[in-house]
Amino acid sequence: MPDLAAQFEDEKPGRILTGPANLLVGAAAVAAGVLALWQVFRPLPQGSKYYLIIFLAGVLPLVFLAYPSGLRLRPGRGVTTATRSRPTAADWSLAALALVACLYPVLPVPFGSGGGYDAFLDRQGLLAPADLVMGTGLLVLLLEACRRTTGWILPAVCLLFLGYGYYGGLLPQSWPVAHAGLDFSQIVDAFYNSDSGFYGTPLDVAASYIVLFTIYGAVLDLSGAGRFFVDLSTAAFRRSRTAAGRTAVASGFLLGTVSGSGAATTVSIGAVTWP
């Protein structure tokens, strides 16, 4: 049933990690959760953008370890269960690059043109060559992370609009969508060193609210609250002539509000209501 439900989940199925990789990913995920809770009660004095940089550095590398690339490197050979259970050397390399690219703006030691968070912010609008390299690398890594987790559609849409921003100046100026065109450094600067790019509203919502509801849902699920929702729905509609359907809908609604995963809700509810 989990494999069947995963086919209809927006998010692709990840690896079943074992050994040191599993411990590392688990420890990093716990650290990210603790950081999110710490930010609620004791916000970092450097501001919300500083927190978002640290948060992204904590979760983005995990994508390359927890999700396989899904690409066939050799004709006739796909991704097998054995290779899915452990990250490859390329996955570890991408995770390391993601960590460096994310933490570059806040490094306290000189690295290229780095050397502090305030100095990085002061270069907004006039990025140094090292800033452009790191920003471009992070852009590519984010696109690859989106492809691994959701498929090709979202990265394709992102590339389409990136192309529009860069080549928009080539469009006939009589068109309503035409513009003067953006330099590549301007695009990277808007993403990497502004409040409307990588560290904009979507990441802010994810790091400030969604992660908290995810932790809340995990606590309820491990404490048995998910089973309680099923039992509550069964007791409420047991005398109804359409008890099975109503139980499935009501319990799915209750569990879905805290799990946030279509596949998890289907597996949990289906195991009880289908029989």
Side-chain angles (χ1 to χ4, degrees):
M1 186 183 299
D3 294 336
L4 178 62
Q7 297 178 7
F8 302 96
E9 178 72 3
D10 292 337
E11 184 176 288
K12 287 187 174 182
R15 289 187 174 101
I16 302 176
L17 297 173
T18 58
N22 184 39
L23 295 177
L24 177 62
V25 171
V30 170
V34 172
L35 175 64
L37 294 175
W38 181 273
Q39 179 67 11
V40 173
F41 299 102
R42 296 286 298 273
L44 298 179
Q46 294 87 347
S48 60
K49 184 176 180 179
Y50 188 92
Y51 161 67
L52 295 180
I53 293 175
I54 302 297
F55 182 83
L56 184 62
V59 298
L60 181 60
L62 303 185
V63 175
F64 301 105
L65 301 179
Y67 291 88
S69 65
L71 299 177
R72 294 185 177 182
L73 302 180
R74 298 181 183 178
R77 294 188 60 184
V79 180
T80 63
T81 304
T83 57
R84 284 186 55 219
S85 62
R86 61 182 183 273
T88 63
D91 295 327
W92 286 105
S93 300
L94 291 176
L97 291 175
L99 183 63
V100 173
C102 289
L103 291 180
Y104 169 77
V106 297
L107 289 179
V109 296
F111 179 79
S113 300
Y117 178 59
D118 293 336
F120 177 77
L121 295 181
D122 291 339
R123 295 194 299 272
Q124 184 173 0
L126 189 61
L127 297 183
D131 300 334
L132 292 176
V133 172
M134 291 296 177
T136 303
L138 184 56
L139 174 60
V140 174
L141 291 169
L142 286 172
L143 291 175
E144 170 61 12
C146 289
R147 186 196 66 80
R148 291 191 179 208
T149 54
T150 64
W152 287 97
I153 296 180
L154 181 57
V157 173
C158 294
L159 290 174
L160 177 63
F161 280 95
L162 283 173
Y164 168 70
Y166 186 73
Y167 294 105
L170 301 179
L171 297 175
Q173 294 302 308
S174 59
W175 290 11
V177 295
H179 58 84
L182 296 174
D183 186 76
F184 184 75
S185 61
Q186 292 178 302
I187 296 177
V188 174
D189 179 75
F191 285 140
Y192 198 42
N193 199 347
S194 73
D195 296 332
S196 59
F198 300 147
Y199 311 110
T201 301
L203 181 61
D204 191 11
V205 172
S208 302
Y209 301 103
I210 295 179
V211 65
L212 299 180
F213 280 102
T214 303
I215 296 173
Y216 174 65
V219 171
L220 290 182
D221 186 50
L222 293 176
S223 63
R227 180 67 191 186
F228 166 75
F229 290 148
V230 177
D231 294 339
L232 177 63
S233 303
T234 303
F237 299 110
R238 60 183 177 180
R239 297 183 181 276
S240 173
R241 300 176 66 179
T242 57
R246 293 187 178 185
T247 298
V249 172
S251 58
F253 168 75
L254 292 173
L255 183 59
T257 56
V258 295
S259 71
S261 171
T265 302
T266 301
V267 172
S268 303
I269 301 303
V272 177
T273 58
W274 287 7

